[in-house]
């Protein structure tokens, strides 16, 4: 186990009807709030009206930043920063999924910063202070509701980068608010959750039995609830289990003491910076190919993955065969739940493959399980065509 | 899954040599510090000198409250409160195991409270404000380093009660600081950790797959590292795994959305309030008896426990048989690592059995898996004679 520091001060408010706690939270954080959201889904579901009523009860003046994109854009973030500065906003309420929360985090750290907020994402500066942020999560996926990560896309430069920004003060997670998530978004969300676990599970770090078992616990729970939630989108317990897995997959619990990887996320960010495809869809395509490309670096970890997570029977098989069977099971799972499996599913061919390979490695090689240079990324992308 | 709120702002600083971070932490928390510790073990190990040097480097004036008892006493807590008030202490540093930390928490919440600090433990008041508290943990056991629980014994009334007090601001966990923990304390610590998991695992709450797996992950990890750490007390990785399990077993992760039990802890508190026996020893004795007394309330949970945690093969057996085999495996494990298995191991007979049964239920029946009245407690204690 490596040395580590763990810290996570977000208050997680989970369950049916927990939205009612928003009033009390709002009263603690201030009277002028910027409400950030995406498309119109929260208006159709009625969540928008409920939240406005609660904020009004709390005596808040509400400003709005609607229209945050699925891959949230720097230009949108800057609009939010301007509103906060002009209107003296006290705190931000993100209502939506990871994109809305990530954009809100960027606004929160951008307001007190004199330079360009993109500096945080291009690694030129680190945030020092932020407006308080609360979230009402509507999608099980990114874990952004309980970490300080934020991923923003700069369309001027076709770059998509992550930064460490600020923890939400509180996050309200009502599984019922995910009942209306469309089927494809539900699938992408589950792919995203599993991918987060993969990034933190495939490692050369030894003596991490508890971290390993926690990761396997999340994977098994997502897998056993995935088809259930797709069969009945209003299955409260299945939605709750997936929602809780999404948070635990990326709230800092899994990586303690572990050298994590994150190459596949860099590759996917490069793909969606160029083609604007859904993050979870991109991950479902690329991860199994990454696995095939790297598994020989530590076959025993992939053997464990195959036997523990996918119940592969190792009897009479070589380690290589068991490992490959686990990877095939991963691919089969993604196919079974209806996730995309090839870049061709998004009409992506090899035209910009080299561009994406370069974009995936802007600060040098990526990944720790196997260090990948742009030529490695190109090979993985070619496997995914 | 039940609704829940999770919040835990303690910064966990884990690993070899992490004590060096104490200086920076001290500089953040103030110049006058009360250092709380137990017997002389931290002086023998050299930890005491290292800490004093770091606090001196940080420019701190150090006051001391030594001699905290294994079951920390109200009288000691009051001494600490007096020192803090007289000397204008800014923050408290607990150096030791759960007893030292629990006593320090009581001091921390007692200082700003005008009434008797015992009010928090007798449920007459709830804390409102506390001095900041840091900890340097030397024993894997109670989890007190990352929660707000505190258990104090009042010898005037022979009562031992827990209260919700305050979270440590930071906790430094270096597995090397547990190398010198004596064999019996190591055993009690592991019994305590497993008992914490049992209290949160045996439940009637359904649809808690991730919580269930997390609990099983901790149990399996403790079990597989227990004999290793006893065979070689300086096995860094084994000590690290046990230490991390201790924290995760009681930092609020396991009970989210779950109706937990905690009857066995109440019973043990009653026993050690009367006989002053080690908490972990008492738990190792009582828990398997509690299991036998209650398992029929939800046999399937005990079947899962037997098969998942103890690898009991269920083939051709009734659920009852499988459940009982799991309980027997628990007893055998405690015996194998050298934990006490009967009250007689502490020369406790039936003389005060009724007194203890009454003391275990001062606020009415205890437990949720099966509600226990004083006569149930008496029966469980009788099974443990």
């Amino acid at each position: 186990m490596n040395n580590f520091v763990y810290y996570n001060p977000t208050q997680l408010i989970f369950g049916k009807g927990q939205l009612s706690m928003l009033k009390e939270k709002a009263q603690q954080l201030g009277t002028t709030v910027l409400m950030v959201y995406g498309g119109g889904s929260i208006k159709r579901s009625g969540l928008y009206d409920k939240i406005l009523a609660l904020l009004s009860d709390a005596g808040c003046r509400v400003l709005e930043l609607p229209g945050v994109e699925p891959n949230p854009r720097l230009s949108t973030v800057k609009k939010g920063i301007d509103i906060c500065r002009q209107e003296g906003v006290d705190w931000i309420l993100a209502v939506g999924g990871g994109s809305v929360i990530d954009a809100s985090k960027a606004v929160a750290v951008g307001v007190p910063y004199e330079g360009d907020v993109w500096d945080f994402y291009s690694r030129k500066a680190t945030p020092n202070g932020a407006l308080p942020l609360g979230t009402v999560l509507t999608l099980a996926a990114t874990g952004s509701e309980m970490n300080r990560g934020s991923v923003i896309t700069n369309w001027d430069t076709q770059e998509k980068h992550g930064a460490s920004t600020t923890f939400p003060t509180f996050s309200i997670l009502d599984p019922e608010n995910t009942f209306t998530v469309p089927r494809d978004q539900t699938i992408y969300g589950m792919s995203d959750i599993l991918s987060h676990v993969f990034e933190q599970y495939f490692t050369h770090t030894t003596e991490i039995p508890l971290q390993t078992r926690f990761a396997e616990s999340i994977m098994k729970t997502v897998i056993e609830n995935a088809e259930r939630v797709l069969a009945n989108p209003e299955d409260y317990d299945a939605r709750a289990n997936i929602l809780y897995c999404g948070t635990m997959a990326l709230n800092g619990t899994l990586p303690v003491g572990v050298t994590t990887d994150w190459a596949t996320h860099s590759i996917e960010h490069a793909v969606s910076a160029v083609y604007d495809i859904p993050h979870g869809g991109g991950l479902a395509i690329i991860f199994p190919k990454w696995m095939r490309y790297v598994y020989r670096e530590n076959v025993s970890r992939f053997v464990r993955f195959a036997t523990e997570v996918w119940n592969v029977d190792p009897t009479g098989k070589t380690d290589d065969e068991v490992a490959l069977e686990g990877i095939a099971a991963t691919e089969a799972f993604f196919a079974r739940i209806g996730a995309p499996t090839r870049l061709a599913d998004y009409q992506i061919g090899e035209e910009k493959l080299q561009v994406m390979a370069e974009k995936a490695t802007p600060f040098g090689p990526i990944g720790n399980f196997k260090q990948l240079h742009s030529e490695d990324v190109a090979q993985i992308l070619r496997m995914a065509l």
Side-chain angles (χ1 to χ4, degrees), chain A residues 105-170:
Chain A
K105 287 175 177 174
V107 174
V109 295
V111 170
Y113 179 63
E114 290 187 2
D116 186 334
V117 66
W118 185 248
D119 291 351
F120 301 139
Y121 297 83
S122 57
R123 305 194 183 179
K124 281 188 196 146
T126 49
N128 183 15
L131 286 187
L133 165 69
T135 88
V136 176
L137 187 66
T138 61
L139 179 65
T142 71
S144 190
E145 65 277 9
M146 200 180 179
N147 64 42
R148 60 182 145 195
S150 163
V151 179
I152 297 294
T153 301
N154 181 345
W155 274 97
D156 293 341
T157 59
Q158 285 203 336
E159 286 174 297
K160 178 175 178 177
H161 293 315
S164 177
T165 54
T166 185
F167 285 104
T169 304
F170 69 87

Side-chain angles (χ1 to χ4, degrees), chain A residues 36-343:
Chain A
V36 182
Y37 56 98
S41 67
I42 65 164
K43 291 190 176 168
R44 286 192 299 277
S45 72
L47 184 59
Y48 175 87
D49 289 332
K50 281 188 214 165
I51 287 173
L52 280 190
L54 285 160
L55 292 174
S56 161
D57 278 2
C60 286
R61 180 168 77 102
V62 182
L63 301 156
E64 300 191 22
L65 177 68
V68 173
E69 306 80 10
N71 285 312
R73 299 179 180 201
L74 181 60
S75 52
T76 308
V77 169
K78 288 186 172 173
K79 257 192 252 174
I81 292 172
D82 287 345
I83 298 173
C84 290
R85 287 178 179 161
Q86 284 159 17
E87 303 285 341
V89 163
D90 295 312
W91 64 287
I92 299 170
L93 180 66
V95 184
S99 304
V100 168
I101 298 173
D102 283 10
S104 300
K105 287 175 177 174
V107 174
V109 295
V111 170
Y113 179 63
E114 290 187 2
D116 186 334
V117 66
W118 185 248
D119 291 351
F120 301 139
Y121 297 83
S122 57
R123 305 194 183 179
K124 281 188 196 146
T126 49
N128 183 15
L131 286 187
L133 165 69
T135 88
V136 176
L137 187 66
T138 61
L139 179 65
T142 71
S144 190
E145 65 277 9
M146 200 180 179
N147 64 42
R148 60 182 145 195
S150 163
V151 179
I152 297 294
T153 301
N154 181 345
W155 274 97
D156 293 341
T157 59
Q158 285 203 336
E159 286 174 297
K160 178 175 178 177
H161 293 315
S164 177
T165 54
T166 185
F167 285 104
T169 304
F170 69 87
S171 283
I172 298 175
L173 280 66
D174 182 342
E176 291 190 338
N177 287 336
T178 69
F179 282 2
T180 53
V181 172
R183 186 178 180 87
D184 58 347
Q185 294 296 330
T186 301
I187 295 165
Y188 298 149
M190 295 187 293
S191 305
D192 200 20
I193 295 168
L194 283 177
S195 298
H196 292 158
V197 183
F198 296 159
E199 299 283 18
Q200 302 170 92
Y201 180 78
F202 294 108
T203 180
H204 300 286
T205 313
T206 57
E207 290 288 355
I208 46 165
L210 190 58
Q211 295 90 328
T212 298
R213 290 189 170 108
F214 277 1
E216 288 161 355
S217 297
I218 297 175
M219 292 189 274
K220 290 177 192 177
T221 304
V222 171
I223 292 162
E224 83 187 2
N225 282 278
E227 284 161 284
R228 209 176 140 190
V229 87
L230 292 172
N232 177 10
E234 303 202 355
D235 181 328
Y236 179 86
D237 293 311
R239 287 282 193 189
N241 288 330
I242 297 279
L243 192 58
Y244 182 49
C245 281
T247 300
M248 291 307 294
L250 206 57
N251 71 351
T253 303
L254 297 187
V256 299
V258 179
T259 303
T260 57
D261 194 74
W262 294 103
T264 306
H265 268 68
S266 294
I267 301 175
E268 196 293 316
H269 288 175
V271 174
S272 63
V274 175
Y275 288 102
D276 203 14
I277 67 170
H279 177 58
L283 289 168
I285 295 168
I286 300 162
F287 235 118
K289 282 69 181 181
W290 174 87
M291 291 179 182
R292 285 186 193 282
Y293 193 77
V294 307
Y295 80 95
R296 284 210 173 88
E297 301 291 313
N298 184 353
V299 177
S300 68
R301 193 70 175 169
F302 275 89
V303 168
R304 178 166 179 136
F305 174 63
T307 53
E308 285 292 323
V309 177
W310 298 109
N311 297 315
V312 172
D313 180 356
T315 317
K317 295 170 194 159
T318 65
D319 280 359
D320 232 63
E321 286 168 343
V322 176
L324 287 170
E325 224 176 286
I327 297 170
T330 312
E331 275 170 334
F333 171 79
F334 282 135
R336 199 160 66 241
I337 64 169
T341 56
R342 315 218 63 90
L343 290 172

